[in-house]
Amino acid sequence: MTRPILVTSALPYANGQPHFGHLVGAYLPADVFVRYHRMIGSDVLYICGTDDHGVANTLAAEKEGVPYREFVQRGWDVWNDVCGQLGISFDNFSQTCREVPHYALAQEFFLRCKKSGHIVRRDIEQLYSPKTNRFLADRYVVGECYVCGHDDARGDECPKCGSWLEANRLKNPRSRTDPEDKLELRAAWQFELDLKPFSEDPLVKPWLTEFRKGLKTNVSKFVFEKMIEGEGLESRPITRDLPWGVPVPNVDLDGQPIEDVDGKVLYVWFDAPIGYISSTMEWAERENKDWRRYWIRKDGEDGARLVHFIGKDNIAFHCIVFPSMLAWQQVDGDYSLTGPGKGEQYVLPENVPANEFFNLEGKKFSKSDQWTIDIGPFIEKYGVDRTRYYLIAAMPETSDSDFIWRDFKARNDKLANAFGNFASRILKFVAKHFDNRVPALGSETLDRVTNEVRTRTEAMARAIEEYRFRNALDEFLGLAEDGNQFLQDTQPWQLRKTDLAACGAALHQALQYLPALSALAQPFVPGLAASLRTQLNLAPRGAGPLLPSERLAEGHALGEASVLVAKIPDEVIASELEALRGTPED
RNA sequence: GGGGCCGUAGCUCAAUCGGUUAGAGCAGCGGACUCAUAAUCCGUUGGUUGCAGGUUCAAGUCCUGCCGGCCCUACCA
């Protein structure tokens, strides 16, 4: 039996504005992976949701005078719309602010980590804002640099002298969002998750060895050479004093009180990834399925394949922190709990395909500098499939890459010419000269098309399994190029004048590329795949093995041919660039 | 401060452990063809691999220094 597959995309921050960088980094590749697996009949589940807690959300909500819950709901709506527009096919898109099932599960995670001895209490000093009645994170603090005296140093770094600062040592500290808000240093304490034993933990070590082998080099260098073997792991705070978040429970697993936790909530990076699980539980409840199938494995069994798609900034959480939390859910004793019981444990990730960053014409996307592309209008204008096609083709898989308007046109036109026009030239030919029905194959064979389809399909499958989506996309387009080459070699437009049966036989073969192309297109450009099937008068493709491919039988009545992919005029690109730069091009 | 990445054809990018004459696509140029969305197919121009050294039988690849661009540093993909 094949293993179930659980795919997640990084939980977007409810406060964040989605742009192409997010989509191309963590959502689109996951969606391609998931659509591919659905197509071949894998048991795959795709889970996401918004990350609703944390200081940035509370500050933004307060600034607008909106209740927290309402504020993050708006964020959810935005992300849900954008992902929907781009055809990101989540099985469930939840929120970490939902008390059922998220809060209870997050609290259970805390209690189990505590019970298994990985949570410690630590006294700290932190900058406190009397005006807003809370402790502020370093990045919300500004003050006078204690190295160079610059008065506008940030809590983490001085922009003037470049020194690496400790926020607590800043002189004259104040809130970044409100200069009148003078901060004071106050004693506090928080719970911390002690990550020191992580890499040597007997539950973790065997997994870690395997995990390392599958990671892209940029990911494994960061996790292993820098963090585990380099700096070493420390304990990190997992609670904060905030009015918005999952409350730290005040009774432990054994019914003993946990002192002084009023006003404390679980901190974002402890709380957020649990959202992957609670979102799965929510899905299971709705669909009457079993969430444990994807998250829990019995000792000695493989369990599901867990794959986290993220941007590169999220590597530490998904490769170290969340796995440690999952592993440290093991507790002895008889408790009535949701997670793994005796002889069970949570699955640990098989891979964390982290993409690099995606910029716009060489510079970082920035809404405030107007250096951006509005996703909604863009997709309305160019269509979801053409958007997806380009973003996949330009995806920052191995290094940072760019959205480049001229490249968008070039890629789009290539797709229109090699793929769209290929379907069009055959279908119109058959409509004109063969009554729009699949001609007879005669004594010819389908060996050539069958072999080419197999080669391309296998290469595409391999690339997707290795998270090389750009290469996978090339195989799809490559099959269309094979088809064009076939026509060039057989020249049915010549045969028509001399030998109509031979002409029909050639077209019969050429037509067979099209159902295969609709299959290869499906993970990347599902709308185009469907349109092509309509033009072929084929029912939507169900799940099933990629091979053997479908065949258009002799006499099959085809649908009506029309332009699948339109080209983009130069003037359109010129005006987009002008709008972006604010000046006409040189 | 610490760590990492990148620099290859006009443009976007490849090149497994160091191993043949550094490859594709786009653009350009020349040709063939006419079924098709001026498309497709064939051919072709174009490189001192950022600079300077070093190691090696052999360097785009490894080492040192420099120049230029970018990112991470655990709370803004």
Side-chain angles (χ1 to χ4, degrees):
Chain A
M1 196 172 87
T2 57
R3 299 166 64 190
I5 306 170
L6 179 61
V7 175
T8 71
S9 287
L11 303 181
Y13 210 49
N15 183 37
Q17 287 294 318
H19 60 62
F20 279 142
H22 302 100
L23 297 175
V24 83
Y27 302 88
L28 203 45
D31 187 66
V32 170
F33 188 78
V34 166
R35 284 178 185 270
Y36 165 76
H37 274 291
R38 286 196 192 117
M39 181 169 80
I40 65 169
S42 304
D43 177 2
V44 60
L45 187 67
Y46 184 20
I47 289 297
C48 196
T50 50
D51 171 8
D52 298 328
H53 298 130
V55 186
N57 281 322
T58 60
L59 290 177
E62 285 163 21
K63 196 172 171 187
E64 294 190 33
V66 178
Y68 303 136
R69 201 163 281 279
E70 189 182 322
F71 179 82
V72 299
Q73 181 62 45
R74 282 198 327 223
W76 185 89
D77 291 342
V78 168
W79 279 95
N80 193 48
D81 284 354
V82 164
C83 289
Q85 269 187 304
L86 197 66
I88 304 298
S89 57
F90 300 129
D91 286 297
N92 196 44
F93 188 65
S94 187
Q95 300 171 292
T96 58
C97 69
R98 296 185 188 171
E99 297 187 9
V100 179
H102 183 75
Y103 277 31
L105 183 66
Q107 289 173 334
E108 178 177 315
F109 258 82
F110 173 84
L111 292 174
R112 292 172 82 133
C113 284
K114 191 165 186 298
K115 178 72 182 175
S116 63
H118 296 92
I119 290 180
V120 296
R121 246 179 104 127
R122 160 96 35 109
D123 292 317
I124 53 172
E125 279 194 321
Q126 236 188 321
L127 287 165
Y128 184 84
S129 152
K131 198 164 167 181
T132 59
N133 205 27
R134 76 180 51 151
F135 292 96
L136 283 188
D138 291 355
R139 55 187 264 235
Y140 292 103
V141 175
V142 292
E144 189 183 323
C145 174
Y146 53 84
V147 178
C148 73
H150 178 63
D151 190 39
D152 209 18
R154 302 192 335 235
D156 49 357
E157 182 183 20
C158 176
K160 184 119 180 254
C161 69
S163 299
W164 188 236
L165 304 178
E166 288 170 55
N168 290 359
R169 289 177 59 196
L170 287 175
K171 289 176 195 158
N172 191 20
R174 57 196 184 273
S175 165
R176 199 176 83 188
T177 49
D178 177 5
E180 299 304 306
D181 190 3
K182 308 286 183 201
L183 307 180
E184 51 194 66
L185 215 48
R186 283 202 189 173
W189 67 269
Q190 298 297 347
F191 285 111
E192 298 197 334
L193 183 65
D194 187 3
L195 292 165
K196 281 194 280 292
F198 175 73
S199 56
E200 295 302 318
D201 188 297
L203 289 172
V204 170
K205 204 169 178 179
W207 162 78
L208 206 54
T209 309
E210 279 307 301
F211 182 60
R212 181 175 195 163
K213 292 179 194 161
L215 295 175
K216 295 198 282 189
T217 51
N218 57 334
V219 181
S220 72
K221 272 191 180 180
F222 182 80
V223 172
F224 289 91
E225 293 177 24
K226 176 179 164 66
M227 302 197 64
I228 294 177
E229 292 153 11
E231 300 168 355
L233 303 176
E234 298 295 328
S235 63
R236 303 300 308 184
I238 58 165
T239 59
R240 280 286 188 271
D241 297 282
L242 278 178
W244 173 237
V246 179
V248 175
N250 56 15
V251 179
D252 73 12
L253 282 183
D254 298 306
Q256 299 301 308
I258 303 174
E259 305 291 341
D260 282 338
V261 294
D262 275 4
K264 290 202 190 303
V265 297
L266 297 178
Y267 197 51
V268 174
W269 63 255
F270 189 88
D271 148 55
I274 296 168
Y276 295 136
I277 307 175
S278 54
S279 182
T280 311
M281 293 166 81
E282 196 178 77
W283 165 85
E285 178 74 23
R286 189 181 66 227
E287 303 287 330
N288 198 23
K289 297 276 177 55
D290 181 15
W291 70 272
R292 300 169 72 90
R293 175 170 173 74
Y294 298 93
W295 281 104
I296 308 279
R297 68 181 181 87
K298 298 221 184 309
D299 291 348
E301 292 180 8
D302 281 337
R305 297 172 57 192
L306 174 60
V307 183
H308 296 303
F309 285 85
I310 59 168
K312 65 179 172 186
D313 58 320
N314 251 326
I315 292 172
F317 296 128
H318 289 80
C319 295
I320 293 174
V321 178
F322 190 43
S324 77
M325 290 163 55
L326 291 167
W328 294 341
Q329 293 297 290
Q330 301 303 113
V331 291
D332 293 329
D334 257 340
Y335 303 104
S336 171
L337 294 168
T338 305
K342 278 196 169 56
E344 293 179 335
Q345 45 193 290
Y346 277 111
V347 296
L348 295 172
E350 171 179 290
N351 208 315
V352 178
N355 268 334
E356 303 292 301
F357 283 85
F358 193 61
N359 301 311
L360 172 57
E361 301 273 350
K363 283 193 289 184
K364 211 171 163 168
F365 278 89
S366 165
K367 199 128 192 162
S368 51
D369 295 345
Q370 308 279 304
W371 192 257
T372 187
I373 295 171
D374 283 333
I375 298 170
F378 184 95
I379 295 175
E380 268 172 42
K381 192 163 176 185
Y382 299 105
V384 56
D385 289 288
R386 294 197 286 171
T387 306
R388 288 173 63 108
Y389 182 84
Y390 176 64
L391 292 180
I392 296 164
M395 200 171 265
E397 283 177 350
T398 52
S399 62
D400 287 3
S401 65
D402 291 273
F403 182 104
I404 291 172
W405 276 104
R406 297 206 172 282
D407 194 37
F408 172 59
K409 173 190 158 55
R411 299 272 192 185
N412 177 78
D413 289 3
K414 175 87 178 165
L415 177 69
N417 293 337
F419 165 73
N421 178 62
F422 173 61
S424 178
R425 65 191 296 207
I426 300 175
L427 290 173
K428 289 192 175 171
F429 199 117
V430 174
K432 204 182 285 180
H433 299 295
F434 291 89
D435 195 27
N436 213 28
R437 287 178 180 276
V438 177
L441 180 59
S443 58
E444 297 292 327
T445 74
L446 295 178
D447 289 354
R448 174 165 168 183
V449 55
T450 304
N451 284 333
E452 288 176 349
V453 167
R454 180 186 302 119
T455 303
R456 293 292 184 182
T457 305
E458 286 171 354
M460 184 189 86
R462 205 177 313 124
I464 288 180
E465 280 296 347
E466 292 169 3
Y467 312 107
R468 295 181 288 111
F469 298 105
R470 305 218 290 201
N471 293 352
L473 190 67
D474 286 344
E475 296 299 335
F476 154 62
L477 203 65
L479 183 61
E481 286 173 345
D482 292 342
N484 279 313
Q485 184 71 62
F486 178 86
L487 289 177
Q488 190 66 29
D489 293 347
T490 52
Q491 309 229 349
W493 51 90
Q494 289 291 350
L495 292 172
R496 186 178 70 81
K497 298 177 202 161
T498 57
D499 183 347
L500 197 63
C503 171
L507 288 169
H508 182 107
Q509 295 170 73
L511 277 163
Q512 306 307 325
Y513 285 95
L514 297 176
L517 276 170
S518 81
L520 296 207
Q522 194 154 301
F524 310 108
V525 284
L528 279 179
S531 303
L532 177 55
R533 294 186 75 82
T534 304
Q535 295 191 16
L536 296 174
N537 190 26
L538 288 175
R541 189 185 196 284
L546 269 187
L547 294 166
S549 57
E550 295 170 281
R551 180 170 170 193
L552 292 168
E554 177 184 343
H556 174 83
L558 297 162
E560 190 183 342
S562 61
V563 170
L564 279 166
V565 187
K567 289 198 262 192
I568 301 173
D570 278 324
E571 308 84 73
V572 171
I573 297 300
S575 72
E576 294 283 10
L577 281 169
E578 187 177 335
L580 177 67
R581 300 207 161 104
T583 54
E585 268 202 299
D586 307 330

